[in-house]
């Protein structure tokens, strides 16, 4: 009998009283790993009340002490990263190397949070007017919340709550119901790190629990990563309830290949960035735009992709794992068929792939389309599978027009040996994260994750300096101290300081 995933409430792991649950299924074997409770509204309210109470003391913990706790947490994550990655592989299907990358990119954000004393510094100017000084301070908001997706169950929770807590807030985490075991393992490590009870709470569920969370009056800020449709709903609902919201949503990432690029580098990076993690990355390259004669490399690209085989997380020759669910697989298969029906040339079709030992897994092999046009469904929709579509244009400016007319603006790349082409591209492309000879331009945590347009809703992005601003409020203090016996000035009836 499978166990029920616990909640993490007020510093303790407790069994939910929920009457409804969701099966947590291994996507390669279809075996049920656990039952995920749909947390009751009373339990969510209890978590929020606990976080409100904890905030009263946590906000007053000296910043260096918060940093030291974060350092302890960070070291424990490093010590146990292989164990976390194995859990992550089991419930997401990711191969082990990819799972370790997921965990490590989260640890990097925790490392950044350890620098909170310098990150949270305010500003001061002495003598802005005669004997008047002005200072600004960054102060915490209160209870914040994070809603995270299935595709990075370690990295994205670690994008959120460590920085929020380092700033002095408390936090409610609602991880994806499709792979909650990884976040719960991280919560166990967090508990061991010595943080006060109540500063972090973890609840579970689906749309009902999310809606109750984001409309609760005690929640001050909400961070979300996931689909565009859900992100739009959360952004509108959150802002309607006067909350600070950041939503990182859909993507359609293009890689532009110039004829002067290094051919072998292009082929290698295109394969890895398109089918790695079964294409289930918001920064995956799903569109290759060949400029001019570079289109001649298509046959070599097809050959390289055909050599990548899906497999189980611990199979040495596996390039990537299964899709997260049967529903996700059916959606991708449907889009592959639509692409064929709409006239795209399917050079490599992975829709019939089956693993010999695990035939019930959510498998799709590498798939490659050529002659794709902007009106086709496989171009307009985010496929989120191991499917690469290719297009051909005559010039870099045509490629820029194609990208800039797409509604998404998460990431893009240009492969070239021309500095002039690179500068023209990075200056004029309407995308928030740009790689030059880098296929997946995800910044390290001391920068921010800066998707644009319909890939992001909000005004402050994840991690980096912008996250510090997102999780804090600025207080400005203007002060003047009078000298004993100082002559009293006549009343100042203007707004001018003097």
């Amino acid at each position: 009998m499978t166990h029920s995933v616990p909640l993490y409430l007020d510093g303790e792991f407790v069994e939910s009283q929920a009457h409804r649950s969701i099966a947590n299924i291994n996507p390669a074997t279809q075996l049920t790993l656990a039952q995920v409770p749909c947390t009751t509204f009373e339990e969510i309210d209890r978590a929020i009340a606990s976080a409100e109470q904890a905030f009263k003391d946590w906000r007053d913990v000296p910043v260096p002490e918060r940093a030291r706790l974060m350092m302890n947490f960070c070291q424990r994550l490093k010590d146990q990263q292989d164990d976390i990655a194995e859990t992550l592989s089991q419930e997401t299907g990711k191969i082990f190397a990819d799972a370790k990358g997921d965990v490590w990119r989260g640890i990097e954000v925790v490392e950044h949070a350890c620098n909170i004393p310098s990150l949270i510094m305010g500003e001061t100017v002495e003598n802005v007017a005669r004997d008047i000084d002005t200072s600004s301070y960054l102060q915490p908001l209160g209870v914040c919340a994070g809603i995270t997706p299935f595709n990075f169950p370690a990295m994205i929770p670690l994008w959120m709550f460590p920085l929020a807590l380092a700033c002095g807030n408390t936090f409610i985490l609602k991880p994806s119901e499709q792979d909650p075991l990884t976040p719960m393992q991280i919560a166990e490590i967090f508990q061991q790190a010595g943080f006060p009870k109540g500063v972090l709470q973890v609840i579970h569920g689906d749309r009902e629990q999310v809606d109750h969370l984001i409309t609760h009056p005690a929640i001050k800020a909400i961070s979300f990563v996931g689909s565009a449709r859900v992100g739009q709903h959360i952004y509108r609902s959150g802002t309607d309830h006067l909350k600070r919201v950041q939503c990182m949503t859909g993507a359609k990432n293009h890689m532009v290949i110039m004829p002067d690029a290094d051919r072998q580098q292009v082929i290698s990076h295109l394969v890895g960035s398109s089918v790695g993690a079964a294409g289930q990355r918001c920064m995956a390259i799903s569109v290759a735009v060949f400029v001019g004669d570079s289109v001649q490399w298509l046959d070599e690209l097809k050959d390289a992709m055909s050599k990548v085989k899906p497999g189980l997380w611990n199979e040495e020759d596996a390039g990537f794992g299964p899709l997260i669910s049967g529903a996700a697989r059916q959606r991708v298969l449907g889009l592959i068929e639509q692409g064929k029906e709409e006239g795209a040339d399917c050079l490599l079709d992975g829709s019939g792939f089956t693993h010999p030992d695990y035939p019930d897994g959510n498998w799709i092999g590498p798939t490659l389309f050529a002659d794709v046009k902007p009106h086709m469904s496989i171009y307009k929709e985010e496929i989120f599978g191991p499917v690469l579509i290719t297009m051909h244009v005559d010039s870099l400016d045509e490629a820029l027009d194609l990208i800039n007319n797409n509604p998404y603006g998460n990431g893009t790349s240009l492969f070239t040996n021309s500095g002039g082409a690179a500068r023209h591209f990075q200056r004029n492309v309407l995308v928030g994260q740009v790689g030059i000879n880098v296929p997946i331009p995800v910044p390290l945590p001391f920068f921010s994750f800066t998707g644009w347009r319909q890939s992001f809703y909000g005004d402050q992005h994840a991690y980096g300096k912008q996250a510090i601003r997102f999780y804090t409020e600025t207080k400005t203090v203007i002060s003047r101290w009078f000298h004993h016996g100082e002559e009293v000035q006549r009343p100042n009836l203007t707004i001018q300081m003097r």
Side-chain angles (χ1 to χ4, degrees), residues 255 257 262-276 281 283-285 288 301 304-305 388 413 415 436-440:
M255 180 192 287
I257 300 104
D262 185 303
R263 178 170 51 87
Q264 293 300 327
Q265 293 285 359
V266 166
I267 300 300
S268 175
H269 286 301
L270 259 182
V271 173
S273 60
S274 60
V275 303
R281 297 169 175 157
M283 288 293 285
I285 293 296
L301 174 61
M305 288 184 69
L388 176 63
S413 293
F415 272 65
I436 304 299
N437 298 317
V438 174
I440 301 180

Side-chain angles (χ1 to χ4, degrees), residues 223-249:
S223 184
F224 167 83
V225 179
S227 74
R229 178 182 57 82
V230 177
Q232 289 169 6
H233 163 71
I234 289 175
Y235 182 74
R236 289 168 182 154
S237 182
T239 53
D240 283 348
H241 286 82
L242 304 179
K243 302 180 190 304
R244 226 176 250 197
V245 184
Q246 57 176 201
C247 288
M248 290 143 278
T249 62

Side-chain angles (χ1 to χ4, degrees), residues 166-413:
C167 289
N169 302 286
T170 53
F171 202 87
I172 314 289
L173 176 65
K174 206 300 286 182
S176 171
E177 64 277 13
Q178 296 187 86
D179 46 15
L181 300 180
T182 302
M184 292 311 297
Q185 191 169 348
I186 290 172
E188 291 174 11
I189 296 169
F190 179 87
Q191 183 192 47
Q192 297 160 8
F195 285 85
K197 290 184 177 182
V199 297
L200 175 66
Q201 321 270 338
V202 186
I203 64 166
H204 304 292
D206 53 18
R207 176 74 173 262
E208 288 183 10
Q209 284 67 35
V210 167
D211 284 345
H212 187 73
L213 188 65
I214 63 180
T215 56
H216 195 288
I219 301 294
K220 304 303 182 185
I222 302 158
S223 184
F224 167 83
V225 179
S227 74
R229 178 182 57 82
V230 177
Q232 289 169 6
H233 163 71
I234 289 175
Y235 182 74
R236 289 168 182 154
S237 182
T239 53
D240 283 348
H241 286 82
L242 304 179
K243 302 180 190 304
R244 226 176 250 197
V245 184
Q246 57 176 201
C247 288
M248 290 143 278
T249 62
K252 197 71 177 180
N253 305 317
H254 303 68
M255 180 192 287
V256 178
I257 300 104
M258 298 297 289
D260 66 348
D262 185 303
R263 178 170 51 87
Q264 293 300 327
Q265 293 285 359
V266 166
I267 300 300
S268 175
H269 286 301
L270 259 182
V271 173
S273 60
S274 60
V275 303
Q280 297 175 119
R281 297 169 175 157
C282 67
M283 288 293 285
I285 293 296
S286 56
V287 186
V289 183
F290 290 96
V291 179
D293 293 340
S294 66
V295 73
Q296 297 173 7
W297 305 344
L298 260 177
D299 286 342
E300 191 171 348
L301 174 61
K302 173 186 173 181
D303 182 62
M305 288 184 69
S306 69
K307 295 175 181 176
V308 181
K309 303 298 181 185
L312 211 62
W313 69 275
N314 57 356
E315 290 179 339
E316 290 186 6
D317 59 346
F320 59 90
L323 272 71
I324 188 66
S325 67
R329 179 177 180 271
Q330 288 304 316
R331 179 181 175 277
V332 174
L333 290 176
L335 283 165
I336 291 173
E337 289 306 308
Q338 274 187 277
K340 297 173 187 175
E341 292 169 4
E342 292 174 357
D345 185 6
C346 189
L347 301 178
L348 183 66
D349 187 354
S351 57
F353 178 86
T354 301
H355 193 287
D357 298 323
Y358 300 95
D360 295 329
N362 307 318
W363 307 106
I364 295 181
T367 300
L368 177 66
F369 279 97
D371 298 325
V372 175
K373 307 302 179 188
H375 70 273
M376 295 180 178
S377 300
I378 54 173
Y379 178 73
K380 290 193 295 184
E381 295 193 37
E382 184 178 23
I383 300 175
F384 231 58
V387 181
L388 176 63
I389 68 174
T390 67
M391 309 174 82
H392 179 228
V393 297
D394 293 327
S395 68
L396 179 57
D397 283 333
E398 282 187 62
L400 279 166
D401 287 342
L402 180 70
I403 297 169
N404 290 345
N405 285 325
N406 190 282
Y408 294 115
N410 215 31
T412 188
S413 293

